[in-house]
Amino acid sequence: MKKKHFYVIAYDIGDDRRRDKVVKVLEKVGTRVNFSVFECMLTEVQYNKVYSQLEKIVVRREDKVIIYPICTECYARIDYIPVNKVNGPIKIVVV
């Protein structure tokens, strides 16, 4: 089995048509957690394919896509407030 890595992918796309294309790419590989944010667990091959597809859609002077790699240790410590069926149990954070 190929090793997967966790990524958070956020976007700000100025054009509706391009935005729809970006969403279609990301919906195939990840889970939407906010209007313009997806969480994705990807192999290196999948990552390269998604990156290439997004690069063909994005207009450099108008759009932005940011891909945050999350290490497995940090991934295990992600908290979701409030929790939903996709995220799992609520973790209480005391500040």
Side-chain angles (χ1 to χ4, degrees), residues 2-9 29-33 37-44 46-47 66-80 86-87:
K2 295 184 180 184
K3 186 175 179 181
K4 291 190 174 190
H5 300 278
F6 185 73
Y7 300 92
V8 174
I9 303 177
V29 296
T31 301
R32 182 180 239 153
V33 294
V37 180
F38 280 79
E39 292 180 343
C40 305
M41 191 69 72
L42 306 171
T43 65
E44 184 177 351
Q46 289 171 317
Y47 175 86
I66 304 172
I67 303 171
Y68 299 96
I70 308 293
C71 71
T72 53
E73 187 176 311
C74 294
Y75 170 73
R77 297 184 353 225
I78 294 173
D79 289 315
Y80 296 93
V86 174
N87 306 125

Side-chain angles (χ1 to χ4, degrees), residues 2-94:
K2 295 184 180 184
K3 186 175 179 181
K4 291 190 174 190
H5 300 278
F6 185 73
Y7 300 92
V8 174
I9 303 177
Y11 60 86
D12 184 10
I13 307 296
D15 177 77
D16 290 341
R17 193 173 280 169
R18 287 195 311 273
R19 186 181 318 107
D20 289 344
K21 289 179 182 180
V22 167
V23 169
K24 285 180 183 180
V25 168
L26 296 176
E27 283 179 334
K28 291 178 184 175
V29 296
T31 301
R32 182 180 239 153
V33 294
N34 205 321
F35 186 73
S36 60
V37 180
F38 280 79
E39 292 180 343
C40 305
M41 191 69 72
L42 306 171
T43 65
E44 184 177 351
V45 171
Q46 289 171 317
Y47 175 86
N48 290 335
K49 182 177 178 181
V50 167
Y51 188 95
S52 176
Q53 290 173 329
L54 294 175
E55 195 172 39
K56 291 175 185 173
I57 298 167
V58 170
V59 173
R60 291 181 183 260
R61 293 184 179 177
E62 297 177 28
D63 304 327
K64 186 184 300 185
V65 174
I66 304 172
I67 303 171
Y68 299 96
I70 308 293
C71 71
T72 53
E73 187 176 311
C74 294
Y75 170 73
R77 297 184 353 225
I78 294 173
D79 289 315
Y80 296 93
I81 303 172
V83 72
N84 66 38
K85 292 178 186 175
V86 174
N87 306 125
I90 294 178
K91 296 179 184 177
I92 303 298
V93 178
V94 179

